[in-house]
């Protein structure tokens, strides 16, 4: 602990001297006796990136030495996909479930870049306006909190090269969704309707009081009767479509008291409901409240201070259903029962402050600190049958994160090379945790634990010519285990999920090299990446119908001997994530833009603490071996935009144990937007144009890559053909 902290603070002490040394180099020597003092040379023109009043701390994406994508508002509005989750799912190299967010359980919505982001180990950081929105307990994303109309741009940084600035959970990369700022006084309205009684309605307004104060507010409502996730041959009266509803309210104030000072405050509220998630009795609810405030102060033309902070609270609730006597071979049984009632209120606070500057050849210097605190209380009652008394767990926990970071880019004067050096110190504490089994009044107080990590990174960007840029980066990063991985207890039938307070953080050493080409409307980007991750966390079946094996776990939890299967999150060994990305665009004529990408990812355990439970050398779960995306935008006339997107992927295993195989598919979406008048848009889209029927959650097998299907697990369909049309007006 001491050595890591000492190394961190020593590194930042050295980094803090850089601005002073740079200024000293720019300061002319004092005039000698008899000489006339020469005036100081004029300072170089300011080269700070444009200040946007958000909580973000990133640099201009096109200047980074790693693979990035920026989606503008125009591209987002033209996208055929209606949900932000499915728009993000079409970004090259990003993998999300192929079931819309309104039809997925809140705990089953991970985000995956380069293999870092399965539902058992989520290591891709998602933010809105620079604030993490990964759930404090499960780390998953409720995409219903982000209406499509609210988004100004989507910034994606692939790989762990961003973690020197962002730290925990950014191993796979960072997705920052920036919401719109009010720019002029006016109001707008938007309404749409489509397949499965899917509809949206939105009203928004902005008011510019003067050149110093701007305000905005919006309300968005979305609902759908949903489609039936269960294949037709397995349906009965209790297996129903999944209906959903989401309401969002947002408000913002931007103030510019002086030319140097910019301030902002934003508030968000969301309420999401799901009814009939597979089973008619199932129900989910998720509420979120968030307040964000901050600003920047321009010290001079070359430097500024930036600060932001947020407070948030929320609650997740679920009612899950047991299948009773139903199986895939006996679909007529209707004796399903409520198997779980859970409520998980949470709190989340955090913030950051950093100094940003340019000094001569030193550009984009950022030195700062950040912190986050998350708290959870989980009330979880589980029922073995319709008449059984519940097994009830009450879990409490708290995680704290503190980070100190610094990064800067040096432009060599001899050759056109940018060298970026970053350092970060992460300090993590897990504390105040306990698990109470109410049935036996067994209280397990979880010992506090902590960890520190010193994570440097070095990157290089060589401007070989006006058309060709070569880049590379080497980095180390850190990710702490999630609270649900450490503390959540779950009992179903004879199976019990045990806590594991001894989980250790994961650390990763990553390298990537890439080349970017741009010439006469053609861009081509290629990146090879290699990551070696230690202490990989996965969900393991520790005991399989073995009373002797299960006994220590159930005794400690105060449970009956009926539980003979034990599952637990464990550090299962070390893993490798390797592959390459090819991303290209072409604009052959002014009215046509083309895009295509190919991503290959090989992710596997290189060593295992228990090779019989977690095999080495096999593809990790929820990591397709490849993905292909393509898109075209055609503007035959100025007021008409036609778009088409495609995503193709192969069969892939849903789990590292290779007992559930999901289907591959090629999905095509079409979109149209017509503006018959200046402030009027008529739009429409068709998703899954060819109505491909595929299992986004496939059949479960009884053994590793086996041939025998488990009849107790129901496969789930991906999104079928869905059409929607809408009208947007502005006043």
């Amino acid at each position: 602990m001491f050595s890591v902290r000492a190394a961190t603070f020593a590194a930042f002490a050295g980094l803090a001297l850089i601005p002073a040394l740079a200024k000293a180099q720019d300061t002319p020597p004092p005039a000698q006796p008899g000489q006339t003092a020469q005036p100081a040379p004029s300072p170089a023109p300011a080269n700070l990136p444009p200040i946007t009043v958000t909580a973000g701390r990133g640099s201009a994406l096109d200047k980074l030495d790693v693979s990035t994508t920026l989606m503008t508002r125009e591209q987002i509005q033209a996208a055929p996909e209606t949900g932000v989750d499915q728009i993000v799912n079409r970004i090259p190299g990003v993998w999300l479930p192929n079931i819309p967010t309104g039809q997925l359980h809140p705990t089953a919505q991970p985000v995956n870049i380069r293999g870092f982001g399965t539902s058992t180990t989520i290591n891709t950081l998602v933010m809105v306006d620079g604030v993490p929105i990964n759930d404090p307990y499960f780390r998953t994303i409720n995409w219903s909190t982000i209406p499509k109309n609210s988004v100004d741009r989507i910034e994606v940084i692939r790989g762990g090269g961003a973690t020197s600035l962002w730290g925990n959970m950014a191993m796979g990369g960072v997705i920052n969704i920036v919401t719109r700022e009010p720019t002029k006084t006016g109001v707008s309205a938007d309404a749409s309707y489509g397949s499965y009684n899917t509809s949206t309605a939105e009203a928004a307004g902005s008011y510019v009081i003067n050149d110093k104060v701007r305000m905005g507010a919006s309300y968005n409502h979305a609902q759908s009767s949903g489609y039936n996730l269960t294949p037709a041959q397995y349906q009965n009266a209790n297996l129903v479509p999944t209906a959903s509803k989401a309401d969002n309210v947002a408000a913002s104030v931007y103030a510019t008291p002086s030319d140097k000072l910019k301030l902002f405050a934003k508030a968000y509220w969301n309420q999401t409901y799901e009814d009939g998630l597979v089973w008619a009795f199932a129900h989910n609810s998720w509420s979120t409240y968030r307040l964000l405030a901050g600003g920047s102060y321009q010290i001079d033309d070359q430097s500024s201070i930036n600060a932001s902070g947020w407070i948030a609270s929320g609650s997740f609730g679920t009612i899950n259903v047991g299948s009773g006597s139903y199986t895939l071979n006996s679909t007529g049984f209707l004796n399903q029962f409520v198997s779980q009632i859970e409520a998980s209120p949470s709190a989340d606070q955090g913030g950051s402050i950093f100094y940003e500057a340019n000094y001569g050849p030193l550009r984009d210097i950022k030195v700062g600190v950040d912190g986050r605190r998350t708290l959870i209380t989980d009330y979880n009652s589980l029922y073995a049958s319709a008449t059984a008394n519940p097994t009830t767990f009450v879990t409490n926990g708290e995680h704290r994160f503190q980070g100190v970071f610094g990064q800067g880019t040096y432009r060599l004067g001899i050759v056109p090379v940018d060298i970026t050096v970053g350092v970060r110190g992460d300090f993590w504490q897990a504390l105040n945790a306990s698990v109470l089994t109410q049935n036996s009044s067994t209280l397990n107080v979880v010992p506090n634990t902590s960890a520190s990590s010193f994570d440097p990174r070095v990157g290089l960007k060589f401007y070989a010519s006006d058309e060709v840029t070569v880049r590379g980066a080497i980095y180390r990063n850190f990710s702490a285990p999630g609270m649900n991985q450490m503390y959540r207890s779950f009992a179903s039938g004879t199976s019990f999920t045990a806590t594991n307070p001894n989980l250790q953080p994961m650390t990763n050493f990553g390298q990537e090299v890439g080349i970017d080409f741009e010439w006469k409307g053609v861009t081509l980007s290629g990146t090879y990446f290699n990551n070696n991750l230690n202490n990989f966390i996965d969900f393991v079946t520790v005991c399989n119908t073995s009373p002797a094996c299960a006994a220590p776990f159930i005794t400690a939890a105060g449970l009956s001997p009926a539980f003979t299967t034990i599952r637990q999150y464990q550090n299962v060994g070390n893993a490798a994530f390797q592959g390459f990305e090819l991303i290209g665009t072409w604009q052959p004529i002014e009215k046509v833009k083309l895009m295509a990408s190919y991503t290959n990812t090989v992710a596997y355990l290189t060593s295992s603490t228990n090779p019989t439970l977690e095999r080495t050398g096999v593809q990790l779960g929820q990591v397709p071996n490849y993905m292909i995306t393509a898109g075209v935008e055609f503007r035959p006339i100025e007021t008409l935009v036609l778009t088409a997107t495609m995503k193709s992927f192969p069969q892939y295993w849903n789990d590292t144990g290779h007992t559930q195989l999901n289907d591959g598919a090629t999905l095509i979406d079409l979109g149209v937007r017509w503006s018959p008048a200046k402030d009027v848009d008529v739009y429409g889209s068709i998703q899954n144009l060819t109505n491909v029927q595929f299992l986004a959650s496939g059949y479960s097998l009884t053994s590793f890559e086996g041939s025998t299907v488990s009849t107790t697990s129901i496969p789930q369909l991906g999104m079928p053909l869905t059409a929607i049309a809408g009208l947007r007006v502005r006043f």
Side-chain angles (χ1 to χ4, degrees):
M1 176 75 72
F2 176 78
S3 61
V4 172
R5 291 179 181 266
T8 301
F9 290 123
F12 280 98
L15 191 65
L17 296 175
I18 291 178
L21 293 173
K23 280 189 171 182
Q25 291 178 350
D26 291 341
T27 303
Q32 299 297 318
Q35 288 183 332
T36 303
Q38 298 297 318
S42 301
N47 194 33
L48 281 174
I51 294 177
T52 56
V53 188
T54 73
R57 68 184 73 140
S59 308
L61 294 190
D62 61 348
K63 303 297 183 183
L64 297 181
D65 50 31
V66 292
S67 177
T68 64
T69 290
L70 173 65
M71 283 194 74
T72 65
R73 177 167 178 80
E74 180 68 18
Q75 292 171 318
I76 294 165
Q77 288 296 303
E81 297 75 32
T82 54
V84 172
D85 58 317
Q86 296 306 308
I87 293 174
V88 172
N89 204 16
R90 300 305 189 268
I91 295 176
V94 181
W95 178 260
L96 274 70
N98 290 296
I99 297 174
T101 185
Q103 303 229 174
L104 275 172
H105 197 278
T107 63
Q109 304 195 44
V111 184
N112 189 329
I113 299 179
R114 295 183 178 176
F116 291 89
T118 66
S119 57
T120 58
T121 305
I122 298 174
N123 281 308
T124 296
L125 180 64
V126 182
M127 302 180 291
V128 171
D129 296 327
V131 174
I133 64 166
N134 299 77
D135 182 78
Y137 195 29
F138 299 101
R139 294 192 171 184
T140 53
I141 307 298
N142 180 9
W143 294 99
S144 298
T145 63
I146 316 168
K148 181 177 178 179
N149 271 349
S150 70
V151 180
D152 181 70
R153 64 184 184 274
I154 300 174
E155 305 167 338
V156 178
I157 304 174
R158 298 177 189 84
T163 50
S164 58
L165 293 178
W166 295 111
N168 184 58
M169 286 187 61
M171 277 185 176
V174 173
I175 299 173
N176 186 35
I177 299 168
V178 181
T179 59
R180 298 184 68 191
E181 293 185 18
T183 56
K184 62 181 180 180
T185 299
V187 296
S188 64
D190 191 317
S192 68
Y193 183 80
S195 303
Y196 308 106
N197 291 318
T198 300
S199 63
T200 64
E202 180 178 278
S206 58
Y207 181 46
V208 178
I209 299 175
N210 51 42
D211 60 352
K212 295 185 182 297
V213 180
R214 296 168 289 138
M215 305 173 64
S218 65
Y219 168 72
N220 178 278
H221 174 81
Q223 66 181 41
S224 176
S225 297
Y227 68 93
N228 200 317
L229 290 162
T230 306
Q233 66 269 34
Y234 302 127
Q235 294 176 14
N236 65 29
N238 286 339
L239 289 157
V240 298
T242 303
S244 62
K245 181 176 70 173
D247 292 282
N248 287 282
V249 176
S252 60
V253 177
Y254 295 81
T256 311
S258 69
D259 292 340
K260 293 187 174 183
L261 181 62
K262 297 185 178 182
L263 304 171
F264 69 91
K266 300 182 180 183
Y268 306 95
W269 171 81
N270 167 269
Q271 180 69 64
T272 302
Y273 294 101
E274 289 177 338
D275 284 309
L277 185 59
V278 180
W279 300 103
F281 312 137
H283 175 80
N284 295 306
S285 63
W286 205 344
S287 62
T288 306
Y289 311 82
R290 184 177 294 112
L291 177 64
L292 166 66
S296 63
Y297 178 74
Q298 198 77 26
I299 300 172
D300 53 38
D301 289 343
Q302 301 286 349
S303 60
S304 65
I305 294 288
N306 305 268
S308 66
W310 77 87
I311 56 173
S313 64
S315 182
F316 156 76
T318 188
I319 298 175
N320 286 330
V321 173
S323 60
S325 301
Y326 174 95
T327 70
L328 299 184
N329 295 330
S330 54
T331 60
F333 284 97
L334 300 175
N335 60 334
Q336 291 80 37
F337 61 93
V338 171
S339 62
Q340 179 188 13
I341 300 176
E342 183 175 12
S344 302
S346 63
D348 188 9
Q349 306 107 31
S352 68
I353 182 169
F354 64 95
Y355 171 74
E356 183 177 19
N358 291 323
Y359 289 109
L362 290 171
R363 300 182 297 104
D364 201 22
I365 298 170
K366 293 182 175 71
V367 180
V369 296
D370 57 26
R372 186 182 184 187
R373 177 175 179 251
T374 60
L375 301 99
I376 185 70
T377 299
D378 184 27
Y379 304 93
N380 198 358
S381 295
L382 301 120
Y383 301 80
S385 69
T387 58
N389 292 323
T391 302
T392 300
F393 303 96
V394 180
T395 300
N396 290 281
E398 177 181 354
H399 280 191
R400 296 179 186 177
F401 303 88
Q402 303 94 40
V404 54
F405 59 88
Q407 185 168 293
T409 299
Y410 181 75
R411 168 62 64 89
L412 296 179
I414 304 173
V415 292
V417 173
D418 288 344
I419 299 175
T420 300
V421 177
V423 289
R424 182 179 178 90
D426 275 304
F427 313 106
W428 165 71
Q429 302 90 40
L431 61 165
N432 301 326
S434 63
V435 181
L436 169 66
T437 306
Q438 284 191 343
N439 305 60
S440 59
S441 299
T442 302
L443 177 65
N444 288 317
V445 177
V446 180
N448 295 345
T449 188
S450 62
S452 298
S453 184
F454 176 66
D455 300 321
R457 65 100 68 206
V458 178
L460 179 147
K461 196 164 187 178
F462 171 46
Y463 300 89
S465 68
D466 292 340
E467 296 82 19
V468 178
T469 304
V470 180
R471 51 182 166 78
I474 301 175
Y475 40 80
R476 186 182 187 274
N477 42 48
F478 155 94
S479 183
M483 279 198 282
N484 75 305
Q485 295 172 325
M486 296 180 69
Y487 309 137
R488 189 169 186 250
S489 293
F490 190 91
S492 176
T494 60
S495 175
F496 171 59
T497 296
T499 62
N500 189 356
N502 298 317
L503 276 178
Q504 297 299 304
M506 296 178 290
T507 57
N508 176 60
F509 176 54
Q511 317 91 44
E512 61 184 87
V513 61
I515 185 168
D516 301 317
F517 173 79
E518 184 173 356
W519 178 74
K520 293 186 177 181
V522 175
T523 68
L524 182 62
S525 174
T527 306
Y528 170 78
F529 57 88
N530 179 66
N531 294 273
N532 299 104
L533 186 146
N534 294 327
N535 292 328
F536 180 71
I537 296 174
D538 206 356
F539 193 49
V540 181
T541 300
V542 182
C543 309
N544 191 5
T545 63
S546 172
C549 174
F553 296 94
I554 62 174
T555 300
L559 297 173
S560 75
F563 296 97
T564 59
T565 296
I566 304 297
R567 296 185 173 94
Q568 188 181 51
Y569 287 96
Q570 294 187 353
N571 296 106
V572 299
N574 301 329
F577 300 82
Q578 302 161 342
F580 61 89
E581 302 153 345
L582 295 174
I583 304 171
T585 65
W586 180 34
Q587 188 165 1
I589 59 176
E590 184 179 356
K591 296 181 178 181
V592 177
K593 295 180 181 178
L594 305 173
M595 182 280 292
S597 76
Y598 177 85
T599 302
N600 171 265
T601 306
V602 179
Y604 57 95
L605 289 178
T606 57
S607 64
S608 175
T609 55
N610 192 332
T612 61
L613 297 177
E614 293 284 306
R615 291 171 170 82
T616 59
V618 302
Q619 188 82 348
L620 296 178
Q622 299 177 26
V623 184
N625 188 255
Y626 70 83
M627 291 179 282
I628 300 172
T629 66
V632 58
E633 179 183 298
F634 177 43
R635 295 175 180 263
I637 57 176
E638 185 177 354
T639 58
L640 180 64
V641 183
L642 305 174
T643 56
T645 63
M646 183 273 287
K647 184 160 190 172
S648 182
F649 50 91
Q651 287 184 324
Y652 63 98
W653 293 101
N654 197 62
D655 59 333
T656 305
H658 287 203
T659 60
Q660 185 180 7
L661 184 61
N662 297 342
D663 282 349
T666 296
L667 307 175
I668 299 173
D669 303 333
L670 299 180
V672 58
R673 189 183 67 193
W674 175 49
S675 303
K678 179 182 178 182
D679 293 317
V680 177
D681 293 332
V682 180
Y683 60 89
S685 68
I686 299 175
Q687 294 178 249
N688 193 357
L689 174 68
T690 58
N691 199 25
V692 177
Q693 301 291 299
F694 68 102
L695 298 178
S697 180
Y699 289 98
S700 292
L701 309 175
T702 58
S703 61
F704 179 85
E705 299 186 14
S707 58
T708 304
V709 172
S710 170
T711 61
T712 60
S713 180
I714 307 173
Q716 296 180 10
L717 293 166
M719 176 189 263
L721 186 149
T722 303
I724 194 166
L727 174 67
R728 183 183 305 116
V729 295
R730 297 172 293 277
F731 305 95

